[in-house]
Amino acid sequence: MIKGLMITPPVIGRIAIGKLVERNGKRLPEKDDEFTITTQLQSRGQWILHPLDEALRLAADKAQSGIKEGSQPPAPDGDEDNRNAANTAQAIQTGTTARPVRTGKRSLKEKMGVSACTATESNADQAVEPSSVSSLASSSAPARRKLRSIPVRVLFNDPDLNLRANYTLFDRTTARPVCVGDGESCKRVSSKGLESMSCPGPDVCAFGKDGCKPYGRLNLLIGDSDELGSFVFRTTGFNSIRTLAARLQYFAAVSGGHLASMPLELKLRGKSTTQSHRSAIYYADLIVRSGISLNTAIAQAKKITAQRQAAGFDQMALDEAARLGYANGSFEDTPDEAVDIVEEFYPEETKPPAATATEAATPTGLHRASNGNGTHSPYSQRP
């Protein structure tokens, strides 16, 4: 084994919450409200979608569909006009004659044979512009379902082998890691080479104040086509890292150490905070797979573990091999990967706009004290 080369789980794809967009001549990360599963190939600056991405969206469509294909639910009172409009649009596209929906009560004209279909047929016989047909077709096309949950498993029973999270500082010029720490100790590249130092964290570290932040990598199994090939989810968000770390520790504990056999689901959650100006921010979470209780999931995990042991699968040896592979090198990300990581997760900080004339005229750190009679004195220095 080559010394200094960290051996990491084989990666066959990526899981992302967002993408890179071109803006003012720069490629900047843009957050999203859904997962995207991609390959490791790029085309025209964008990652190519993995076949599993579309397969999971179709599976979600079928799972959410509560009406059998070809059936039509009864229209409630007042919805006949909407149903007639839909039938008209379908008739225009197919070239057939539109028929209105028959309601429970018929008017006198309908009983006499003078129905509204006469006017509909005359309208259908008129020439229709191609643009109107295309607009009707596009409006009736179903929207692409957002992928907000993915059935997954993990590779290892040890939670720390599945999720590696560190404070990381990259050199934006070379896209190489400069300092990697855990809040207690760190490995830092200096003029003397690679040194081990204490790590106080990015909040109080003078060396890492200009770009050091938490950086996590979670390896997950999707499907069963490659039982040792994983999809990597990278994040620099505190919410995702903290939630994922807690879930992995908890599931490992309640399952009696059978974490690798647990049927799990990567789920996208959202919340609003004061720091986000009450707008929604999204983070990743791990839960028991939908439709399965925690007790059932634990029973399934123990059953799968017994089946693997009967087949000769040694989970403890797999965990130990991964542990040795991580310890074989100093930094996990290779130089070619680091370029994309820096571009996506460590973008250049944009400077805030200059203060307006009103803001500049207001003294900083001053306040207007109340006189107790409903009036205020001039600005004075805050004590």
Side-chain angles (χ1 to χ4, degrees):
M1 186 182 296
I2 301 176
K3 297 300 180 182
L5 176 64
M6 186 178 292
I7 308 301
T8 59
V11 174
I12 60 176
R14 302 166 62 256
I15 304 174
I17 312 176
K19 57 184 176 181
L20 289 172
V21 296
E22 192 80 18
R23 191 177 301 158
N24 298 328
K26 294 183 178 180
R27 286 170 55 81
L28 300 173
E30 184 178 76
K31 297 180 181 179
D32 206 347
D33 61 348
E34 65 171 333
F35 291 117
T36 304
I37 305 175
T38 72
T39 64
Q40 298 190 92
L41 299 174
Q42 292 190 29
S43 176
R44 298 179 180 179
Q46 296 294 335
W47 295 100
I48 299 175
L49 292 178
H50 195 279
L52 281 172
D53 185 90
E54 184 64 23
L56 289 173
R57 294 178 194 274
L58 292 175
D61 282 332
K62 293 180 180 179
Q64 294 295 328
S65 177
I67 301 174
K68 294 182 180 180
E69 185 178 356
S71 64
Q72 192 174 38
D77 294 340
D79 283 356
E80 292 82 7
D81 294 338
N82 296 333
R83 186 72 58 75
N84 288 334
N87 290 343
T88 303
Q90 182 179 4
I92 292 175
Q93 297 179 44
T94 58
T96 59
T97 301
R99 298 290 180 184
V101 175
R102 182 174 178 178
T103 60
K105 295 182 180 180
R106 294 191 299 166
S107 64
L108 179 60
K109 289 184 177 181
E110 289 177 333
K111 293 179 180 178
M112 295 175 64
V114 184
S115 63
C117 67
T118 306
T120 308
E121 290 171 357
S122 62
N123 293 335
D125 291 338
Q126 295 177 1
V128 181
E129 294 293 335
S131 58
S132 63
V133 177
S134 60
S135 63
L136 285 171
S138 61
S139 63
S140 61
R144 181 171 177 265
R145 178 172 291 277
K146 292 183 180 295
L147 185 61
R148 288 174 173 163
S149 61
I150 304 173
V152 297
R153 293 186 188 272
V154 295
L155 276 166
F156 312 110
N157 280 334
D158 187 347
D160 293 334
L161 297 178
N162 297 296
L163 174 67
R164 287 87 56 213
N166 305 96
Y167 294 118
T168 308
L169 174 66
F170 283 92
D171 184 346
R172 293 196 55 84
T173 305
T174 62
R176 291 178 180 272
V178 176
C179 185
V180 176
D182 57 4
E184 183 177 358
S185 62
C186 69
K187 297 178 181 179
R188 184 179 301 174
V189 178
S190 65
S191 57
K192 300 179 182 179
L194 186 64
E195 295 184 287
S196 295
M197 303 180 181
S198 60
C199 174
D203 294 335
V204 295
C205 180
F207 181 79
K209 64 180 180 180
D210 294 327
C212 181
K213 54 178 154 180
Y215 172 46
R217 289 136 296 189
L218 174 66
N219 291 87
L220 297 168
L221 300 177
I222 305 177
D224 54 1
S225 61
D226 188 345
E227 296 186 12
L228 294 179
S230 62
F231 289 78
V232 62
F233 171 73
R234 296 186 175 96
T235 179
T236 54
F238 267 111
N239 292 296
S240 292
I241 292 174
R242 180 170 52 191
T243 303
L244 293 172
R247 292 285 193 177
L248 288 169
Q249 295 286 347
Y250 295 168
F251 285 136
V254 299
S255 66
H258 300 293
L259 179 61
S261 302
M262 286 283 289
L264 303 175
E265 184 174 303
L266 185 67
K267 186 177 182 64
L268 191 67
R269 295 193 186 274
K271 71 176 186 178
S272 299
T273 63
T274 303
Q275 189 174 3
S276 68
H277 303 287
R278 301 303 177 187
S279 61
I281 56 175
Y282 297 93
Y283 62 97
D285 191 5
L286 267 178
I287 61 173
V288 173
R289 198 166 297 178
S290 298
I292 303 176
S293 67
L294 179 59
N295 291 341
T296 303
I298 294 173
Q300 287 186 9
K302 292 182 178 180
K303 181 179 179 181
I304 292 174
T305 299
Q307 292 175 350
R308 288 180 171 182
Q309 290 176 348
F313 189 97
D314 194 337
Q315 183 67 52
M316 293 181 62
L318 179 62
D319 282 30
E320 184 61 23
R323 197 173 289 110
L324 293 175
Y326 288 135
N328 194 61
S330 301
F331 302 121
E332 177 169 341
D333 300 297
T334 59
D336 57 333
E337 293 175 331
V339 175
D340 295 319
I341 292 169
V342 169
E343 184 181 47
E344 186 171 357
F345 297 102
Y346 291 79
E348 293 185 24
E349 297 293 337
T350 56
K351 294 182 179 180
T356 62
T358 304
E359 292 171 341
T362 303
T364 304
L366 302 183
H367 75 293
R368 300 186 68 182
S370 174
N371 293 327
N373 56 2
T375 61
H376 291 78
S377 63
Y379 285 102
S380 59
Q381 186 68 38
R382 186 181 295 275

